[in-house]
Amino acid sequence: MIYIIRHGETDLNKERRMQGRNGYPLNKNGIIQAENLRTKLQGIEFDLVYSSPQERAVETAQIVSGGNVIVDKRLDVFELGEADNLKISEVKMDGFIPDASVYKGIEDTESFVNRVFNFMRELEHQYVESKVNILISGHRCTTGCMGAYFEGIPEDRNILTYSSDNGDYKVYQF
C-alpha cells in the first residue's frame, strides 16, 4: 500500500501565504497534526519512507514513521519563484499556479508532473509485485500529483483536486 501524507501546518500555511522552497518548518499545530497522523496510522509498519527535501515534509515523515526517511528531490515542492511566501490573496494566478508572466522562476507544470510521475513509475516498477507499505511525505502539489498518477489527470488539469489537507493522508495501491 502507498500512504501519501501531506506535511503538517507551518506558519506560512497559517498566514495563508504561498509556500514553496523557501518554506518554514512545522509549527506547534503542525507537530500535533503529524502526531495525530501517527496515531491514525498506528499499527502499520512502513517498509520504506520517502519525503520531499523540504524540512516540513521530512519532519512529518519522521514523526509519523518513527524511522529513517529517504529524501528524494523529485518529491520537492513546486517551484514558486518570486511568488514564494507572498500572500495567496495577492498573487496573480494563471489557473491554479502563480502567473509565470508576472513572477520569475515559476516551474513548468509539465516538468513538475513528469518528475513526480517519474518517481512514482520507478516505485511501481520496483514494488508492484511486493506487499510493502510505503509512506510518502509531500506537499499540496505533490500529494495532488501523486493522486493524479493513480486517478488520472483531471480534465481541467488541476491536480490539486487530489491533494490532502495539512496533516492528512490518502491510500493507494499499485
Side-chain angles (χ1 to χ4, degrees), residues 111-128:
S111 296
F112 171 75
V113 169
N114 286 338
R115 73 174 158 88
V116 174
F117 275 29
N118 176 273
F119 172 83
M120 296 305 294
R121 278 191 297 272
E122 186 177 297
L123 267 190
E124 182 173 17
H125 179 74
Q126 288 179 321
Y127 300 107
V128 70

Side-chain angles (χ1 to χ4, degrees), residues 15-169:
E15 295 170 9
R16 303 285 303 141
R17 292 183 176 270
M18 302 293 286
Q19 183 169 216
R21 296 184 183 177
N22 296 321
Y24 289 4
L26 298 177
N27 61 20
K28 189 180 287 189
N29 188 50
I31 292 169
I32 291 168
Q33 288 172 327
E35 290 169 345
N36 289 340
L37 196 50
R38 179 183 63 214
T39 300
K40 288 180 189 176
L41 297 173
Q42 188 175 350
I44 298 168
E45 189 171 322
F46 296 106
D47 301 291
L48 297 162
V49 179
Y50 291 94
S51 177
S52 155
Q54 298 299 316
E55 181 180 0
R56 59 197 183 269
V58 174
E59 284 178 295
T60 302
Q62 289 171 330
I63 291 169
V64 171
S65 71
N68 292 331
V69 176
I70 302 164
V71 173
D72 194 301
K73 66 182 179 180
R74 293 173 292 178
L75 298 173
D76 207 350
V77 68
F78 184 84
E79 176 57 70
L80 297 171
E82 293 177 339
D84 206 348
N85 292 348
L86 297 180
K87 287 187 177 182
I88 293 170
S89 62
E90 297 173 358
V91 175
K92 182 169 175 17
M93 302 294 281
D94 180 13
F96 56 91
I97 63 167
D99 189 334
S101 70
V102 176
Y103 308 100
K104 292 178 185 164
I106 303 294
E107 185 171 2
D108 175 70
T109 55
E110 292 303 314
S111 296
F112 171 75
V113 169
N114 286 338
R115 73 174 158 88
V116 174
F117 275 29
N118 176 273
F119 172 83
M120 296 305 294
R121 278 191 297 272
E122 186 177 297
L123 267 190
E124 182 173 17
H125 179 74
Q126 288 179 321
Y127 300 107
V128 70
E129 300 294 326
S130 304
K131 293 190 184 241
V132 296
N133 289 318
I134 301 172
L135 180 74
I136 305 172
S137 181
H139 311 277
R140 182 173 185 222
C141 56
T142 53
T143 63
C145 193
M146 287 181 267
Y149 181 80
F150 290 99
E151 305 286 344
I153 295 181
E155 241 178 78
D156 66 359
R157 315 269 312 146
N158 186 356
I159 61 172
L160 300 181
T161 303
Y162 301 121
S163 66
S164 299
D165 292 330
N166 286 113
D168 206 357
Y169 73 101

